[in-house]
Amino acid sequence: MSEYYNNLSESAREHFADRITDSYVNNDQLTITVMPEQLIDVCQDLRDDAAFAFDTLIDCCGVDYSEHHNWQGPRFASVYHLLSVQLNHRIRVKVYVDGEPPIVPSVINIWNAVNWFERESFDLYGIIYEGHPDLRRILTDYGFVGHPFRKDFPLIGNVEMRYDPEKQRVIYEPVSIEMRNNQPRVIREDHRYSERLEGEQDDA
């Protein structure tokens, strides 16, 4: 399988040339990296060229790399998982983007199935999909403040809501609870883990 995807990776490098910034295979998964301005053009070819024939979009999601170990690149990425039913192969397309808000072209005119996926990525990560016809929140409510899958989003959130009997509607207010750590810290004095590790090293 790796040989197949290595060959497909080379085909992608030859076909797209400088329209992609990287193409690699890891654990039998082919990934290509695309600049935002090249995304639509590359995706169009991935769908229409007979050598690729990626007719089905399986998933689209956002990623926040802000706390990734030693990460030096853009903070966000939009990632697309594609399937060719005809050729029975898959590819992952990754677009790195920075800025506030991060902006990526919508691929909804290429794969209509991306509609709710892009809305979910916008809702959870704040990535703007330019050209999407109805980019609204889809998992949180319309009065929600912030994007809950961002690494810097507070665990207690930014607002809380309640029903106001006088106004006869739901209202939003600043969070009234204090941030706290509910994870207990357990300190063991018997060195059971260090002894086990030493035994494993002796066995090796």
Side-chain angles (χ1 to χ4, degrees):
M1 184 62 71
S2 292
E3 182 180 356
Y4 178 87
Y5 280 109
N6 284 330
N7 292 336
L8 188 61
S9 177
E10 288 302 317
S11 296
R13 288 179 181 274
E14 292 175 7
H15 181 87
F16 294 111
D18 59 355
R19 287 187 290 167
I20 63 175
T21 59
D22 198 7
S23 175
Y24 62 91
V25 178
N26 185 25
N27 294 326
D28 288 334
Q29 171 74 63
L30 170 60
T31 302
I32 65 172
T33 306
V34 186
M35 296 296 291
E37 57 269 21
Q38 298 289 349
L39 178 64
I40 298 299
D41 186 45
V42 169
C43 286
Q44 193 82 49
D45 274 12
L46 286 173
R47 186 193 66 179
D48 297 340
D49 191 283
F52 304 111
F54 289 105
D55 49 14
T56 304
L57 181 136
I58 299 174
D59 188 24
C60 167
C61 64
V63 182
D64 180 357
Y65 289 95
S66 61
E67 294 184 10
H68 193 277
H69 182 63
N70 291 332
W71 180 253
Q72 300 295 324
R75 175 176 178 179
F76 297 101
S78 182
V79 184
Y80 309 82
H81 293 265
L82 310 176
L83 167 68
S84 171
V85 175
Q86 176 186 355
L87 301 178
N88 192 27
H89 59 210
R90 300 167 186 263
I91 194 172
R92 176 170 53 197
V93 180
K94 187 176 291 189
V95 183
Y96 292 106
V97 61
D98 226 331
E100 191 56 61
I103 300 175
V104 177
S106 173
V107 297
I108 196 169
N109 291 326
I110 301 174
W111 298 286
N112 187 257
V114 83
N115 190 338
W116 283 14
F117 291 122
E118 288 184 344
R119 285 181 60 187
E120 181 182 53
S121 182
F122 159 70
D123 191 359
L124 300 180
Y125 291 94
I127 298 174
I128 301 295
Y129 290 89
E130 198 169 45
H132 191 289
D134 188 24
L135 197 63
R136 292 176 292 138
R137 291 186 181 272
I138 191 171
L139 296 177
T140 62
D141 60 273
Y142 298 143
F144 194 89
V145 176
H147 304 282
F149 275 18
R150 289 191 173 193
K151 301 298 185 183
D152 55 2
F153 185 81
L155 294 178
I156 60 174
N158 294 307
V159 295
E160 60 187 27
M161 65 179 183
R162 65 176 177 85
Y163 180 76
D164 189 310
E166 295 182 0
K167 297 181 179 179
Q168 296 187 345
R169 64 179 176 86
V170 170
I171 64 171
Y172 298 89
E173 299 174 328
V175 176
S176 60
I177 61 175
E178 295 182 1
M179 176 73 84
R180 62 186 184 276
N181 185 1
N182 291 328
Q183 181 177 358
R185 184 181 180 189
V186 178
I187 301 176
R188 303 187 187 277
E189 303 293 347
D190 55 6
H191 307 293
R192 67 182 68 180
Y193 299 113
S194 60
E195 291 174 1
R196 187 178 67 183
L197 288 174
E198 289 174 0
E200 291 174 353
Q201 291 173 356
D202 292 340
D203 293 339

